[in-house]
Amino acid sequence: MATLGNSANIFWHECPVGQAERQKLLNQKGCVVWITGLSGSGKSTLACTLGRELHSRGHLSYVLDGDNLRHGLNKNLGFAPEDRTENIRRVGEVAKLFADAGLICIASLISPYRKDRDSCRALLPDANFIEVFMNMPLSLCEGRDPKGLYKLARAGKIKGFTGIDDPYEAPSNCEIELRQINGVCPAPSEMAGKVVSYLDGKGFLQA
Amino acid sequence: MATLGNSANIFWHECPVGQAERQKLLNQKGCVVWITGLSGSGKSTLACTLGRELHSRGHLSYVLDGDNLRHGLNKNLGFAPEDRTENIRRVGEVAKLFADAGLICIASLISPYRKDRDSCRALLPDANFIEVFMNMPLSLCEGRDPKGLYKLARAGKIKGFTGIDDPYEAPSNCEIELRQINGVCPAPSEMAGKVVSYLDGKGFLQA
């Protein structure tokens, strides 16, 4: 539309149906449940179980899965540091749109760097960003290795793999931490239940 | 996660709650209503009026506005040809996600090039992409000039402005065309009504 720069001559349109009205229609409040953790820590499993549990209670949620989005919105991004940051930024922006639409948006990404997660958090009112840390030991994740990626990373066939030769920065301010109890990983339904209880307690499951 | 290339070592997770179940919850079918036309042709007005009408009927819709998204998801894009294409591609991908979530997603963008619109259409089952062409004369749009952009373009202060020194490629295969009747532009409610009738007739307003 213009050559004057990125944000020149761009206007903001206020649309008459707002978030509050959509939330009333859905009888819930839009928010982002951001699940972070190592590959193999159970993020996708939790996301799916949580989505199922919310659906069974009549709530509308939607899962944004980091891997899946790399086939679509983020298919033009690789794994260089700036691409990883852009990958997470886009997911954060889309998650914000879903929350604005009134949905409980469940984002499931390794998202290893604190600053990238915090940038996504900053897009929303702080209370509407619920960071869930899958705090599972590397040994457990590597033992599961559901995609065979740790094996490739250990063999040097993948470089910059989180937990092996690239750091995972644990959250310092997450809303929910899920971890093993006495060396046993809680069942997915148990972990999902913890998130649902949190959402319920904070009033997200009603308008 | 990997350095082997863009799509290497990326897996697809099937999630247990699918589009059909969300649609049942919402009693509607997810789709994309893609509104295209010149600046000032009334895209945003139609998008808002349509969203209001759908809401009043108990349906969940969400407006993706090209201008608004340039403040968020697409804020790192300018107006060079490749940036415009990427801008539209991302909106198309996000619209697809919203349709998958079960919403009636209303995308409102000039989207002047046929190939860019057709790329977005190709992301969905063809019937689920409803292209709405705001076929208003340039003179009408320029006369309205709600953002003062035509004036700037005529003065040479904006280069590559659609309709002035950059082409608008009219759709050849749109589902709905809205135009003046006897030199009079239909009221927004009338235009929105036409879209609602289309959606209703095609079964999108029930699960």
Side-chain angles (χ1 to χ4, degrees), chain B residues 60-165:
Chain B
L60 183 66
S61 67
Y62 192 66
V63 174
L64 297 178
D65 182 287
D67 283 357
N68 291 3
L69 289 175
R70 279 192 176 271
H71 293 276
L73 177 65
N74 294 337
K75 72 178 177 187
N76 52 1
L77 296 174
F79 293 90
E82 64 274 18
D83 278 14
R84 288 176 182 226
T85 292
E86 172 66 6
N87 181 54
I88 292 168
R89 187 193 72 82
R90 289 187 200 167
V91 177
E93 291 282 3
V94 173
K96 178 191 178 176
L97 295 175
F98 272 99
D100 185 48
L103 282 79
I104 296 165
C105 181
I106 305 166
S108 167
L109 295 93
I110 297 176
S111 47
Y113 303 130
R114 204 173 290 132
K115 70 170 170 45
D116 292 336
R117 296 191 302 267
D118 286 349
S119 296
C120 294
R121 176 186 290 272
L123 295 173
L124 292 114
D126 196 63
N128 294 0
F129 187 89
I130 299 123
E131 195 170 341
V132 180
F133 174 29
M134 301 298 287
N135 188 8
M136 302 299 163
L138 175 63
S139 57
L140 175 72
C141 300
E142 190 169 357
R144 289 171 173 170
D145 204 8
K147 306 169 191 170
L149 296 177
Y150 284 101
K151 203 173 171 186
L152 289 171
R154 291 288 185 193
K157 290 177 183 161
I158 302 177
K159 305 288 183 198
F161 192 76
T162 301
I164 304 298
D165 57 346

Side-chain angles (χ1 to χ4, degrees), chain A residues 86-183:
Chain A
E86 173 65 6
N87 181 53
I88 291 167
R89 186 192 73 81
R90 289 187 200 168
V91 177
E93 291 281 4
V94 173
K96 178 191 179 176
L97 295 175
F98 272 99
D100 185 49
L103 282 78
I104 297 165
C105 182
I106 305 165
S108 166
L109 295 91
I110 297 176
S111 47
Y113 303 130
R114 205 173 288 132
K115 71 170 169 42
D116 293 335
R117 296 192 303 265
D118 286 348
S119 296
C120 294
R121 176 186 290 272
L123 295 174
L124 292 114
D126 196 63
N128 293 1
F129 188 89
I130 299 122
E131 195 170 342
V132 180
F133 175 28
M134 302 297 288
N135 188 7
M136 302 300 161
L138 176 62
S139 57
L140 176 71
C141 301
E142 191 170 357
R144 290 171 173 169
D145 203 9
K147 306 170 190 168
L149 297 176
Y150 284 101
K151 203 173 171 187
L152 289 171
R154 290 288 185 194
K157 290 177 184 162
I158 302 177
K159 304 287 182 199
F161 193 77
T162 301
I164 304 298
D165 56 346
D166 210 63
Y168 178 82
E169 297 174 0
S172 53
N173 55 351
C174 65
E175 279 70 16
I176 300 170
E177 183 179 346
L178 298 170
R179 55 192 309 161
Q180 292 181 305
I181 297 159
N182 300 325

Side-chain angles (χ1 to χ4, degrees), chain B residues 21-23 33 36 38 75 79 97 144 180 187-188 204:
Chain B
E21 288 173 275
R22 288 185 291 268
Q23 293 183 154
V33 176
T36 172
L38 294 171
K75 72 178 177 187
F79 293 90
L97 295 175
R144 289 171 173 170
Q180 293 181 305
F204 288 106

